[in-house]
Amino acid sequence: MNTHSVSLRKLIFGDLSLQYVDIPGRDLRAPSVYIQAGIHGDELQGFLVAQLLIDHFHRKPPMGNVRIVPVANAMASNAKTGEYTYGRFCTDTGENWNRHYVNLVAVHASAQAHAHQILLDQWVESRLNLRQEQIESEFKQSMKEVLQSYLSQPLAYHKKLNAQLQLLSIQSDIVLDLHCDSISCPYVYSPSYALSSAAHFGFEFHISIPNKCGGALDEAAFHPWWTLAQILH
């Protein structure tokens, strides 16, 4: 079990950093998992869930590799108005912290593509003869390079934070973003193709998401793969 730190921002008292834990799995063939909690800084329960998972895996190593970010947005958790944690929205912009993950793919150049996107028609054209595992590996690498390029430019903090978290998740087969609320029915978001898998979490209610990217991490995680599969077919 290895703990890592990524510097995000210079503050008066020093660096604001992002901490994450890598837990090696017992089976290299098993799927890898990325779990983060607290992108909305007022959703404190996820911090405890993440810590309990780290403790659990310390005692009983998982099958596949697991990466956990227990506090994804420390700045938001420290944003207080009296006793109230103003952690759902960025205090600089008023925008939702969970809406600035990068849409990494476009079908072709005319599909309103921007500089930090993979043009899938061209990308696939040059890889039609590769095996599935080679396509998967190269696609992860291409997305990683796009995100690194995006992060190399000057960015507002909320965009930099989202892109850095997205980069940490990009190599994983399964991406879980933990949220919570005090006045909501328990439910899970899932891409529509994975609803049967989502049922294993035991939630009574599921929200089925179509193949689009609206800036949230779950959409940013599955949209590139879903679109790639459609292009390949």
Side-chain angles (χ1 to χ4, degrees), residues 1 12 15-16 35 47 56 63 68 87 95 106 109 117 137 142 152 155 163-164 169 185 198-199 206 213 217 220:
M1 187 174 293
I12 294 173
D15 279 353
L16 174 64
I35 302 170
F47 302 166
H56 171 75
M63 290 296 292
I68 298 178
E95 296 180 86
Q117 282 186 316
S137 177
S142 294
S152 69
L155 294 171
Q164 184 61 65
S169 73
C185 297
H206 300 159
C213 185
L217 179 59

Side-chain angles (χ1 to χ4, degrees), residues 16-57:
L16 174 64
S17 60
L18 181 66
Q19 310 286 330
Y20 64 96
V21 177
D22 281 337
I23 305 161
R26 292 175 284 142
D27 185 350
L28 295 178
R29 298 166 298 178
S32 56
V33 181
Y34 172 88
I35 302 170
Q36 74 173 39
I39 187 63
H40 291 140
D42 58 334
E43 297 178 2
L44 306 178
Q45 295 93 323
F47 302 166
L48 178 59
V49 172
Q51 187 57 58
L52 290 173
L53 280 172
I54 291 170
D55 294 343
H56 171 75
F57 289 136

Side-chain angles (χ1 to χ4, degrees), residues 70-87:
V71 182
N73 194 353
M75 177 169 284
S77 297
N78 279 285
K80 304 287 185 181
T81 302
E83 296 180 353
Y84 177 71
T85 303
Y86 186 77

Side-chain angles (χ1 to χ4, degrees), residues 148-180:
Q148 287 174 330
S149 173
Y150 179 75
L151 281 164
S152 69
Q153 64 181 345
L155 294 171
Y157 175 72
H158 60 292
K159 293 183 178 180
K160 182 177 182 181
L161 173 64
N162 277 191
Q164 184 61 65
L165 290 166
Q166 192 172 356
L167 182 61
L168 291 178
S169 73
I170 211 70
Q171 296 293 323
S172 298
D173 300 307
I174 299 169
V175 175
L176 301 175
D177 188 15
L178 306 185
H179 291 262
C180 54

Side-chain angles (χ1 to χ4, degrees), residues 182-204:
S182 59
I183 56 173
S184 174
C185 297
Y187 64 88
V188 60
Y189 282 109
S190 171
S192 60
Y193 65 80
L195 285 172
S196 59
S197 297
H200 290 289
F201 286 103
F203 289 96
E204 183 178 359

